[in-house]
Amino acid sequence: MEKKDTDALNNELESARDIGGFLDSNRDEFNNYTLTQYLAKLLAEKNMTKAGVINASGLNQAYGYHILSGEKHPSRNKVLAIALALQLDHKETQYLLKYAEADALYVRNKRDSVIIFALNKKLGVMETNQVLEDLGEELIE
């Protein structure tokens, strides 16, 4: 069964008479991933290996494996490095940041706009850092 799009689900919530009925009728619509589960899902969808993502992200190998296994809670920059390595789109990255309990990308923030641009253009970490450096912004690490 295909999931409802977010707008449809939001409209249904706005017109719901009670929250219990809404939750019951939409129990299969909620995403309740942990960061580790979402990363595993993305790795499978993108047909990428942990080693490949860690290498492309520029993360320390041991630390990268700790993040992917759920043993370490990464900083926002580390999550962004993983997003770029996985070649996620903007929406997938927002979900990844959410599951990592990190701030979402915000287009009115100059640095975040550069990162959104990099995601849209499928730039890697090194290329993104070069653009950030050229613009005087903090690097992803």
Side-chain angles (χ1 to χ4, degrees):
M1 185 170 98
E2 184 137 339
K3 287 195 177 241
K4 298 174 187 175
D5 72 23
T6 302
D7 288 335
L9 198 59
N10 192 50
N11 289 338
E12 195 175 321
L13 176 59
E14 287 177 2
S15 64
R17 291 183 183 193
D18 70 282
I19 190 64
F22 170 80
L23 295 174
D24 285 344
S25 65
N26 290 292
R27 76 175 51 102
D28 294 333
E29 296 294 329
F30 302 109
N31 294 330
N32 294 313
Y33 296 113
T34 64
L35 176 61
T36 305
Q37 290 168 333
Y38 190 60
L39 284 168
K41 176 183 178 297
L42 291 170
L43 284 167
E45 286 176 1
K46 306 286 183 181
N47 198 27
M48 296 181 77
T49 65
K50 290 179 180 181
V53 170
I54 292 167
N55 185 50
S57 71
L59 295 174
N60 169 282
Q61 188 177 19
Y63 190 72
Y65 278 106
H66 287 303
I67 292 170
L68 294 175
S69 69
E71 295 173 44
K72 296 283 185 184
H73 186 80
S75 67
R76 185 174 189 255
N77 275 335
K78 303 273 192 258
V79 173
L80 292 171
I82 292 169
L84 290 164
L86 282 165
Q87 296 192 329
L88 300 185
D89 63 25
H90 183 203
K91 186 176 182 179
E92 291 168 322
T93 302
Q94 296 291 48
Y95 283 122
L96 185 62
L97 289 164
K98 175 188 171 297
Y99 296 127
E101 300 174 357
D103 290 339
L105 291 168
Y106 184 52
V107 73
R108 291 192 183 271
N109 176 290
K110 182 179 173 185
R111 180 176 186 265
D112 283 0
S113 288
V114 173
I115 294 166
I116 293 167
F117 174 85
L119 291 163
N120 290 338
K121 299 297 182 185
K122 302 292 185 202
L123 300 182
V125 175
M126 287 180 22
E127 296 89 355
T128 302
N129 275 339
Q130 186 61 58
V131 175
L132 288 166
E133 183 177 33
D134 291 348
L135 296 170
E137 294 295 321
E138 175 193 347
L139 303 183
I140 290 178
E141 292 177 10

